[in-house]
Amino acid sequence: MKQCKTITNLFGVLIVLLFILFGVGFYTFYNAKGTSYFSYDSKSCNNCHIMNDVYNDYLNAPHSKKVAGKPRASCVDCHLPHNFIDKWIAKGKSGLSHAYSFTFKLDELPTNLSANSNSKIMVQNNCIECHGEIASNVINSTTTPHNDRSLSRVSCHTGVGHKRGF
């Protein structure tokens, strides 16, 4: 009988802890405007103050200029794969990484976020996908004529998306 009461108490404590964890997670998701990250709107990338400079650069760059009421390209168009499944996997990884950093590594955060190697590859692939036909007349983006110093879209047009963090 005593063992049954101990198990019941442990179960009760576990339920309370799960409820607290869910409450904290919901509160954090709500305050971080979590639902906005399911959109393709570049404003959601500026939910955090660390992106203010990069977002302002984007607003002054050619890709943010509107055509038929929509920007030429959003942050998602450049920084995430265009394939549906790959996009959501990359978005999930990035979101979890940012959530972890903003929760547990506040003292280590840079002034502006910088693209990691995976992000740079995604941006390069997206540049080629959107502008490959035009740019192929200038350089062959599928080869590396200069070994590891090959030209990339962003090296030729550094201010097109934004000036910082790449």
Side-chain angles (χ1 to χ4, degrees), residues 126-139 141 153:
N126 291 337
C127 288
I128 291 168
E129 186 175 328
C130 292
H131 302 289
E133 190 174 314
I134 297 167
S136 66
N137 294 325
V138 180
I139 64 168
S141 57
R153 297 296 188 270

Side-chain angles (χ1 to χ4, degrees), residues 48-50 97-98 100-113:
C48 179
H49 67 88
I50 199 167
S97 171
H98 291 163
Y100 178 80
S101 294
F102 288 114
T103 303
F104 299 109
K105 294 184 172 184
L106 282 175
D107 295 337
E108 300 172 27
L109 289 176
T111 304
N112 293 296
L113 295 178

Side-chain angles (χ1 to χ4, degrees), residues 43-98:
K43 288 178 189 173
S44 64
C45 297
N46 194 40
N47 283 347
C48 179
H49 67 88
I50 199 167
M51 294 303 290
N52 286 343
D53 292 337
V54 173
Y55 183 70
N56 288 332
D57 288 345
Y58 163 76
L59 291 177
N60 292 314
H63 281 127
S64 73
K65 303 308 174 219
K66 294 189 178 187
V67 176
K70 290 185 165 188
R72 289 180 182 156
S74 68
C75 299
V76 170
D77 291 326
C78 294
H79 288 276
L80 292 174
H82 293 171
N83 172 296
F84 181 81
I85 293 172
D86 293 337
K87 178 186 301 183
W88 287 100
I89 289 171
K91 204 169 188 148
K93 285 180 180 178
S94 178
L96 289 172
S97 171
H98 291 163

